[in-house]
Amino acid sequence: MLEALRKSVSGILAKILIGLLIVSFAVWGIGDMVRSYGRDVVAQVGDRSISANEFRQAYQIQVSNFSQQFGRRLTPQEAKVLGIEQQVIQRLTAAAAVDNHTTKLGLDISDKAVEQAIATDPVFQGPDGSFSAARLDDILRSSGYTENQYFAARKRDTIRDQLTSSLLANVTPPDVLKSMIRTYQGEQRVANYIEVKPDKVGTLPEPSDDDLKKTYEANKRQFMKPEYRKFEALLLTQDAAKKKLDISEAELKSTYEADKSAYVLPEQRRVEQIAFENKAAAEKALAEIRQGKDFMEVAKANGSSEKDVKLGLLTREAMIDPKIAEAAFALEKDKVSDVVEGQLTTVLLRVTDIKESRQRPFEDVKADLRDQIASQLVGDKLIEIQNSIDDNRLAGKSLKEIAELLDLPFLAVEATDRQGDTPDGKKALDNPDAASLLSTAFRAEVGVENEVIELAQDGLAWLNLIAVTPEKQKEFDTVREEVAKLWKDQQTREKLREVAEKFAERINAGATLETIAAEVDAKVATTPKFRRGDSLPDFSPAAVTRAFTLPKGQAAMAEGTAGEGIPPRIVMKLVEVHPPAKAGETEDQTLNRQLSSALSDDIIEQYVAGLRQNIDISVNQQLI
């Protein structure tokens, strides 16, 4: 409960539901209602009843938490799909089971102690640092709890903490476990290896009809015509809504005049700069320029190329160093500056062109002004158009009729698979929201109204599924060439595996890796030191894992990294094993914390499993 109120600003009273047992709640098996305990009782856990109000509050908090993650309020149907109802009842019944156990053990805390804990809780402190009854009332009101409900929940939380903290007291990871984990995480290995590529397996025989038919039958799912869907969609986008806004010329001019300074083009200068290592070098170069030497010639003599010198047309704000910018924008055209000591370097400057600051005329910014005003008004326009769409749908108009009536974008997709491809392999949708539309189309049912689709930039879409063409098995004769390629790939992979395995066996029998490499025209390479989970250029994750199963001096084969086509096989020989470096104090403390937390979770899971065997839990699913 303490954590629940501490999170009240962002997720009010969540810990009432979770407590210290959040990790273990998933292990509870809660059956359906087997008896009735009253119209307002959602669940009975031993002697403890969970009221409909408790469930309702917990459910709303959980829905709010999920809604924040999704960026919108979840519908009851979506909450049900996510299993929120059952998550909440599991948490509440698990907490109630612990309450039963604390009662049997006679654990308790005085009301005065709870009052003192609330009074000293920083969550309820006012600006002066002392307890604020008004802040407590505000937080409880926003969470839907009365003072008595909160007091009781806080008391239960505190008593639960007494029990669970005693279970977890002095949880210390064994040294042998820490040593094993350090070895697992920190050990490094080195292997010599060669790549055996698919072209080294020799020529494969041509497959017989029987071979091809067996391959086809064993891999039928690879030879399917995908499901296609036909649908239409009405789109309400910001751009479409903006076009319907009536913004007068007078309003545009008024906005322009009210913020005219925002449409001033700042002064720009074409700046050239020679950078020097120190002031003395810059002064020497400046003297040469003033004696008649060319600016660019001096720059090249000091190691600067033309690209280094010519910075281009810049505004004052575009120049990174303010001291250099100030000097550049104080120079006369074609004059060379004195030595300028900037924040990072010392330079000489020359300005070859100056474009004075000027006011952009109204006609030049008219389109920008309209878009600016439209962006401010488009929200209300979107709602207005949405209401009009809903009215027309209720009146029985089709999406196409509504699109024509309101002049909105309309899509008619004759056939598309889940990837958005048409039967002839083209893209069915050229739309930035294609993924959302396809996702809805393949969840929809013909003749059933779909939910409104949320598009990017606050847009909406309405979709009707018109027809479904089920996936269909391709006949063998139509995919014969594809089956032949699959057969060849399978045979090549198997042959490659056999060849690589034999090479590894020969090395383990005394042959050298260099001898094998010469036979397949490969080069012996050596890995850098690597740990489990590291990525190596030629090693697949499986190959890295295989290397850590080998004793030093042993050889094995594994799959290499896949490029295009069949990946090569790696034949490796483990040549070095390096123990993990000694853990530092910080690393040791981190590992201790991680292991203590994991062991604590295991203890709590065992504790909850024990409670489960000795308590009667029933849930009123109908009331839920």
Side-chain angles (χ1 to χ4, degrees), residues 284-298:
K284 179 182 177 184
L286 178 60
E288 292 175 349
I289 291 171
R290 287 180 175 166
Q291 289 171 6
K293 211 166 187 180
D294 180 69
F295 186 85
M296 193 58 68
E297 185 181 343
V298 171

Side-chain angles (χ1 to χ4, degrees), residues 328-369:
F329 275 78
L331 270 178
E332 294 180 30
K333 183 175 178 292
D334 296 325
K335 296 290 185 181
V336 177
S337 70
D338 291 330
V339 174
V340 181
E341 293 183 86
Q343 294 178 339
L344 301 175
T345 187
T346 300
V347 300
L348 293 178
L349 301 166
R350 182 170 70 175
V351 173
T352 60
D353 187 23
I354 299 175
K355 294 187 181 295
E356 299 291 344
S357 171
R358 64 184 179 86
Q359 179 72 45
R360 293 181 70 188
F362 170 73
E363 290 299 327
D364 285 2
V365 299
K366 186 175 176 180
D368 293 338
L369 283 166

Side-chain angles (χ1 to χ4, degrees), residues 359-419:
Q359 179 72 45
R360 293 181 70 188
F362 170 73
E363 290 299 327
D364 285 2
V365 299
K366 186 175 176 180
D368 293 338
L369 283 166
R370 190 186 190 286
D371 189 65
Q372 174 188 326
I373 297 171
S375 295
Q376 296 169 356
L377 302 175
V378 72
D380 290 340
K381 194 65 177 177
L382 284 167
I383 294 172
E384 177 189 322
I385 299 172
Q386 182 181 355
N387 290 336
S388 181
I389 291 171
D390 290 339
D391 290 343
N392 279 284
R393 293 184 77 203
L394 286 172
K397 290 187 174 66
S398 68
L399 294 184
K400 186 175 183 180
E401 289 172 331
I402 297 171
E404 292 172 351
L405 180 66
L406 301 180
D407 190 23
L408 293 173
F410 178 78
L411 297 175
V413 178
E414 286 299 313
T416 179
D417 62 15
R418 291 179 184 272
Q419 284 68 49

Side-chain angles (χ1 to χ4, degrees), residues 158-344:
T158 305
I159 296 170
R160 284 190 213 122
D161 286 347
Q162 289 179 339
L163 177 57
T164 54
S165 61
S166 67
L167 289 172
L168 303 177
N170 300 319
V171 173
T172 304
D175 289 339
V176 65
L177 177 60
K178 291 192 288 185
S179 176
M180 290 171 64
I181 290 177
R182 286 198 191 96
T183 298
Y184 184 86
Q185 294 177 341
E187 182 182 275
Q188 294 179 300
R189 297 194 166 200
V190 177
N192 292 337
Y193 69 96
I194 60 171
E195 286 186 299
V196 183
K197 297 183 178 179
D199 60 0
K200 303 302 179 183
V201 300
T203 303
L204 293 172
E206 288 299 314
S208 66
D209 282 350
D210 189 47
D211 290 332
L212 294 181
K213 286 178 180 177
K214 285 180 180 178
T215 301
Y216 171 77
E217 290 295 331
N219 299 275
K220 274 192 169 183
R221 289 299 307 170
Q222 294 190 40
F223 306 106
M224 300 289 293
K225 289 182 180 178
E227 176 183 319
Y228 288 100
R229 296 203 165 200
K230 178 179 181 180
F231 67 87
E232 58 184 17
L234 169 65
L235 308 183
L236 173 54
T237 63
Q238 273 204 11
D239 287 342
K242 283 180 179 179
K243 290 177 182 177
K244 296 182 177 298
L245 290 168
D246 184 17
I247 303 172
S248 67
E249 187 89 354
E251 189 175 356
L252 293 173
K253 286 183 177 178
S254 175
T255 303
Y256 174 75
E257 292 296 334
D259 197 17
K260 206 169 183 178
S261 61
Y263 303 102
V264 173
L265 290 174
E267 178 184 341
Q268 293 178 294
R269 293 189 167 212
R270 196 170 298 280
V271 180
E272 296 179 347
Q273 169 185 293
I274 309 174
F276 299 92
E277 291 184 359
N278 52 57
K279 185 178 180 181
E283 288 176 339
K284 179 182 177 184
L286 178 60
E288 292 175 349
I289 291 171
R290 287 180 175 166
Q291 289 171 6
K293 211 166 187 180
D294 180 69
F295 186 85
M296 193 58 68
E297 185 181 343
V298 171
K300 290 179 179 178
N302 282 273
S304 296
S305 66
E306 187 171 330
K307 184 179 179 181
D308 297 328
V309 171
K310 294 186 176 182
L311 305 184
L313 197 62
L314 304 171
T315 63
R316 184 190 292 263
E317 290 71 22
M319 299 188 72
I320 298 172
D321 192 316
K323 290 185 69 174
I324 294 175
E326 182 180 354
F329 275 78
L331 270 178
E332 294 180 30
K333 183 175 178 292
D334 296 325
K335 296 290 185 181
V336 177
S337 70
D338 291 330
V339 174
V340 181
E341 293 183 86
Q343 294 178 339
L344 301 175

Side-chain angles (χ1 to χ4, degrees), residues 499-519:
V499 169
E501 278 185 344
K502 288 179 181 177
F503 286 158
E505 290 170 1
R506 286 174 57 191
I507 293 170
N508 289 330
T512 66
L513 191 59
E514 287 73 15
T515 299
I516 304 298
E519 292 178 15

